[in-house]
Amino acid sequence: MSNLDRVLTAIGPRLRALRRQHGITLAALSQTTGISESTLSRLENGSRKANLELLLPLAHAYRVPLDELVGAPETGDPRVHLRPVTRGGMTYVPLSRRPGGLHAHKLVITPSTGEPELNIHEGYEWIYVLDGLLRLLLGERSLTLAPGEVAEFDTHVPHWLGAADDQPVELLVIFGKQGERAHLKARPA
């Protein structure tokens, strides 16, 4: 099997995995893209070959570049292409890849209607609000942070992050699993 055949054969399973990862039904995807459910199903099971007319609306619906959608081979481009991860209404874009130590992420949180569930885990977080309003539940406290505001806390304290209104909130998050602080405050000698 040639490289081209391998790439083409992998498109269907990749499309199915993306749809399931996004929690979208074939009917909902059909409405979003204008592609019939039967065509989408045949694309996913490999009985229909993908073409640009079908792939471009799918790439737009999933908000991924076309080369990621089809699993195009690497081009030798030295730039780092960050892969966002979406879970529970939050999209994480890793900004660092260093094992151990501090990890930086851009985080976009969409508004939710569910009850906040406070979490605890190992580490220390530093959060900078880039855009929107952040609601931070920290122990018994409820805080609203605006763009340019910063919070830092030990993640052993029960906490929850969410949009404070009906608009998404964008954050820069620096997290240390071993409890490292993102910065130290200088004190006069």
Side-chain angles (χ1 to χ4, degrees):
M1 183 182 271
S2 73
N3 279 344
L4 178 60
D5 289 333
R6 275 192 281 279
V7 168
L8 293 175
T9 303
I11 292 174
R14 185 174 285 107
L15 291 173
R16 182 179 300 109
L18 272 170
R19 182 175 58 79
R20 289 180 177 164
Q21 177 185 345
H22 284 81
I24 302 172
T25 64
L26 283 172
L29 186 58
S30 176
Q31 285 183 342
T32 301
T33 61
I35 302 169
S36 73
E37 287 181 58
S38 63
T39 299
L40 291 168
S41 177
R42 290 190 323 235
L43 278 171
E44 287 184 2
N45 70 29
S47 63
R48 167 94 190 242
K49 286 198 177 194
N51 60 34
L52 281 177
E53 190 174 302
L54 298 171
L55 291 174
L56 287 174
L58 290 169
H60 185 266
Y62 293 131
R63 296 181 181 195
V64 297
L66 188 59
D67 61 339
E68 182 178 324
L69 192 65
V70 299
E74 295 293 325
T75 61
D77 186 343
R79 293 175 290 183
V80 175
H81 301 282
L82 303 172
R83 303 277 189 240
V85 175
T86 301
R87 274 183 265 157
M90 297 185 182
T91 301
Y92 299 84
V93 180
L95 301 176
S96 63
R97 295 182 180 212
R98 192 174 131 222
L102 298 174
H103 294 269
H105 292 86
K106 179 180 179 187
L107 178 60
V108 179
I109 306 173
T110 57
S112 68
T113 56
E115 283 296 311
E117 288 186 33
L118 279 69
N119 293 301
I120 60 169
H121 51 86
E122 291 292 322
Y124 200 86
E125 283 191 28
W126 180 88
I127 297 167
Y128 178 86
V129 180
L130 296 167
D131 192 36
L133 294 174
L134 172 68
R135 180 174 176 213
L136 170 63
L137 299 181
L138 190 58
E140 299 292 320
R141 299 177 70 188
S142 177
L143 305 164
T144 300
L145 284 76
E149 291 190 289
V150 176
E152 63 179 333
F153 56 92
D154 185 325
T155 56
H156 288 101
V157 175
H159 60 282
W160 177 85
L161 307 171
D165 56 18
D166 63 349
Q167 298 298 310
V169 60
E170 295 183 26
L171 314 169
L172 176 63
V173 178
I174 300 176
F175 173 73
K177 285 187 179 179
Q178 287 75 37
E180 302 96 336
R181 289 180 176 243
H183 66 278
L184 297 174
K185 294 178 181 157
R187 292 189 173 93

